[in-house]
Amino acid sequence: MRFVLAIVSFVIGVLLVGLGVGQRTVFAPPTSIVASATGTSSAPVTVIPGSVLNANPGYQRVTISGSGKVFAAYGKTSDVDAWVGKARHNTLRWDAESSSLQSRTTGSATEVPDPRGSDLWYQEYDDADRFTVRLPSDVSLLVAGSGSSAAPSDISLTWPRDTATPSVGPLLTLGGLFVLGGIVLLIWALLHQRRSRGPRRRSGGTRPPRVRASRRAAAAGAQVPARSRRGRRAFVAVPVLVAGALVLSGCSAEYWPQGGGDASATATPTAAATSAADPAASVSATKQQIARIVSRVAEVAQKADADRDADLAATRFAGPALELRKANYAIRKADDGAEALPAIAADDVCVALPQQTTTWPRTVFVVVAADCSDKKTAPQALTLVQEDARADYKVAYDVSLEADAQLPSLAPTTIGAAALPGNSPLLALSPDAVAPAYADVLAKDTESSSAKLFADQGDDLRSRIGKAYKDKKAADLPDTAKIEYSSETPDDAALALATNDAGALVSVDVSEIEKVTPTADGAEVNTEGAVKALSGVGSSKKGVTATYGVQLLFSVPPVGSDDKIELLGFTQGLIAASEVS
């Protein structure tokens, strides 16, 4: 009976071990799920929605092939859809029944701009036909060629498949125990059989001669080999080692039941995509995007400033910031000794505040410096605007912050700030009213009705171009000339982003105009420096008009607050000069 139990235990153990090994070999499931789409559409764009990318859990391996250039990028789904717009495009969808990709073509426009370098993308792949990502459901992938050619036709998605076999560990362990038990039972049966036979007496009542000879040899001092158990121990050790190896082979986590659900389904998405997946992060740009945008702006500014290329500057500057650069280029072309504008420092982004929006136009406020920890140099505050989904962000305002300027408390980059309309009643002074009120202060100083709204401490601009400066300049003119001052503020030019204290950062522009005319017959007005270079007039009997653009950044408190409006920074320079007509 003991032999039967040993054989049964051994057979069960071998079967269990074989079944466990089989689940990792011949019965092992496929390691991935592969779906592909092949089309002949002439659409210049193919979109893979985030829902399709997440049709199966785990990361997504994308393979793209086709004639011509291959380009891919991913971004927030709403941004990708806005960039595609009405263009003819293929949209892939997942067919769960056939586990395949299906394509649908919609739209009308047959061409799109070259998508390379768009500020909307979190990440882009140029001439890369294979890459791996892990994107959340609100991030989509865009595939294109050059924009004017058809998008690559062959696209394949691969997802890892959960190949965990949680029963393997228990099967191997249990099988090893049965094998070991069978061997133990076998040894027990052999020992029991041997003991049950026992020593038997012969009929003559004498012991076998061989035994007596052995005893005599031993008594005489001869070396008689003792019966060794080494072979028996080796026989027992082999199955023990085999069983131990089987048990240890089942120590991998995928061989055992795991709690907490599917690990592949809960893996962490990529950093850029994570910020987009956050419900609170419906911002116009992420921190990574803003750093990349500022770097591109700085690169364009450096080349445009060196070449005095206004057309190149216009690709990344607009409004007051572009006007100032165009004028500076013209001045430097006429006067080689004229200084260039300060370069855009893109080494360090000290502050990044995007507008909280999913529509256009979009605004982003940043503070940049060569080193944010260096207090000796004044950082720059840039206000950038993106007019539509296919446009680049452009610098509308570029101001140097005051030495002692303290920015108000701002929201984190991942949350962003609301943009306030120009006529917002939520502030001590509506954004559109800030520029005219401050221009009046520059002209009249304390006599202005708006003077009490603005803090005068730390305002260096008043001493530079304020009433005292204007009075002194007028007094220094000869009796044969007079100077008149005026100011202009463009409509709807104010850009305001809310702060944490219910106030706002407000960027505005003021044009300060100086008109010098002769007061005596035959008298002339002489020009010099930048005015002479920009106007091309050395002297005039009619007079000369010079316009100075002043870009301003204010911290405006909320309505009802006792705090005053503070000037945080400014940039001032000549933007136009001509003879009086």
Side-chain angles (χ1 to χ4, degrees):
M1 184 63 181
R2 292 180 178 87
F3 285 102
V4 173
L5 292 176
I7 294 173
V8 171
S9 178
F10 190 82
V11 171
I12 293 175
V14 171
L15 290 175
L16 290 175
V17 170
L19 183 59
V21 173
Q23 289 194 30
R24 299 301 301 176
T25 54
V26 294
F27 303 124
T31 59
S32 61
I33 301 173
V34 181
S36 60
T38 301
T40 58
S41 171
S42 60
V45 176
T46 295
V47 176
I48 309 176
S51 58
V52 173
L53 294 170
N54 287 272
N56 295 290
Y59 59 82
Q60 305 105 15
R61 182 179 295 116
V62 184
T63 304
I64 306 170
S65 60
S67 59
K69 295 182 178 180
V70 174
F71 173 83
Y74 63 82
K76 196 187 316 181
T77 297
S78 58
D79 289 354
V80 172
D81 292 342
W83 190 91
V84 172
K86 297 181 180 180
R88 186 173 176 80
H89 62 282
N90 308 312
T91 303
L92 299 187
R93 65 180 182 87
W94 170 256
D95 188 339
E97 294 183 359
S98 61
S99 296
S100 62
L101 296 176
Q102 305 294 329
S103 179
R104 178 188 177 191
T105 303
T106 56
S108 56
T110 58
E111 291 188 8
V112 294
D114 192 332
R116 290 163 178 79
S118 172
D119 291 339
L120 289 183
W121 313 139
Y122 290 147
Q123 180 70 36
E124 61 181 57
Y125 303 90
D126 196 3
D127 292 332
D129 57 359
R130 180 176 298 176
F131 52 90
T132 300
V133 293
R134 179 162 178 80
L135 306 178
S137 58
D138 62 347
V139 172
S140 295
L141 184 70
L142 178 141
V143 179
S146 62
S148 58
S149 60
S153 56
D154 299 329
I155 299 175
S156 173
L157 295 180
T158 303
W159 296 272
R161 187 167 183 174
D162 183 11
T163 58
T165 48
S167 61
V168 169
L171 286 174
L172 291 179
T173 302
L174 189 60
L177 291 176
F178 269 98
V179 171
L180 182 61
I183 295 173
V184 171
L185 288 172
L186 178 62
I187 296 173
W188 181 30
L190 291 172
L191 291 176
H192 183 272
Q193 183 185 46
R194 185 169 184 178
R195 283 197 302 267
S196 64
R197 290 177 180 178
R200 297 180 180 178
R201 294 180 180 272
R202 293 180 178 270
S203 58
T206 59
R207 294 180 181 277
R210 181 174 59 80
V211 176
R212 291 197 299 271
S214 298
R215 289 179 178 174
R216 291 193 193 99
Q223 293 183 354
V224 179
R227 186 170 295 173
S228 175
R229 297 186 179 182
R230 183 176 182 181
R232 186 187 304 168
R233 292 174 181 170
F235 176 73
V236 175
V238 171
V240 170
L241 291 177
V242 171
L246 292 173
V247 172
L248 291 177
S249 68
C251 291
S252 175
E254 63 181 0
Y255 295 165
W256 294 89
Q258 301 292 320
D262 183 7
S264 64
T266 57
T268 303
T270 56
T274 302
S275 63
D278 186 348
S282 57
V283 294
S284 53
T286 65
K287 188 173 184 179
Q288 293 82 359
Q289 283 178 291
I290 292 172
R292 185 168 61 244
I293 291 166
V294 170
S295 177
R296 291 171 176 173
V297 168
E299 184 179 353
V300 168
Q302 181 180 13
K303 182 171 177 54
D305 291 352
D307 298 340
R308 295 173 291 192
D309 189 342
D311 292 336
L312 178 59
T315 62
R316 282 295 183 177
F317 290 84
L322 179 60
E323 279 188 312
L324 183 59
R325 265 183 156 71
K326 283 183 175 181
N328 180 260
Y329 297 163
I331 293 170
R332 289 166 55 205
K333 286 180 180 180
D335 181 3
D336 292 335
E339 294 184 0
L341 295 173
I344 302 292
D347 303 273
D348 205 354
V349 178
C350 314
V351 176
L353 182 66
Q355 180 184 351
Q356 192 181 79
T357 184
T358 57
T359 60
W360 282 267
R362 296 177 171 183
T363 302
V364 169
F365 173 82
V366 297
V367 176
V368 296
D371 184 0
C372 293
S373 61
D374 184 7
K375 304 300 182 182
K376 296 181 180 179
T377 58
Q380 292 169 285
L382 308 178
T383 305
L384 303 101
V385 177
Q386 186 183 38
E387 292 296 337
D388 57 66
R390 293 182 179 178
D392 290 329
Y393 275 92
K394 297 183 179 181
V395 179
Y397 294 95
D398 173 11
V399 306
S400 297
L401 292 180
E402 294 273 59
D404 299 328
Q406 294 292 329
L407 291 177
S409 176
L410 304 176
T413 306
T414 54
I415 295 178
L420 301 181
N423 60 352
S424 174
L426 303 177
L427 303 176
L429 198 61
S430 66
D432 285 343
V434 171
Y438 188 72
D440 193 58
V441 172
L442 290 177
K444 302 176 183 177
D445 201 20
T446 57
E447 298 176 5
S448 171
S449 59
S450 302
K452 61 182 179 181
L453 298 175
F454 293 87
D456 56 356
Q457 187 175 359
D459 187 347
D460 294 336
L461 187 59
R462 292 196 200 186
S463 60
R464 294 193 183 190
I465 61 172
K467 184 176 185 301
Y469 163 81
K470 291 179 172 65
D471 292 344
K472 185 177 184 304
K473 191 169 183 178
D476 291 341
L477 285 177
D479 295 338
T480 57
K482 68 176 182 179
I483 187 169
E484 299 174 83
Y485 296 102
S486 61
S487 62
E488 294 179 354
T489 54
D491 296 331
D492 302 325
L495 297 174
L497 289 176
T499 60
N500 287 344
D501 59 359
L505 289 174
V506 179
S507 300
V508 295
D509 174 43
V510 173
S511 295
E512 289 275 296
I513 304 169
E514 297 180 356
K515 181 179 179 182
V516 181
T517 54
T519 57
D521 293 338
E524 293 184 346
V525 174
N526 298 320
T527 62
E528 59 184 12
V531 175
K532 180 179 181 180
L534 190 58
S535 65
V537 177
S539 62
S540 172
K541 294 182 178 180
K542 296 180 179 180
V544 176
T545 299
T547 303
Y548 295 86
V550 187
Q551 302 170 53
L552 304 160
L553 176 66
F554 290 98
S555 174
V556 182
V559 63
S561 173
D562 294 332
D563 296 333
K564 295 186 177 182
I565 302 172
E566 295 185 10
L567 177 65
L568 300 176
F570 64 88
T571 294
Q572 184 254 3
L574 183 67
I575 60 173
S578 62
E579 187 176 26
V580 175
S581 57

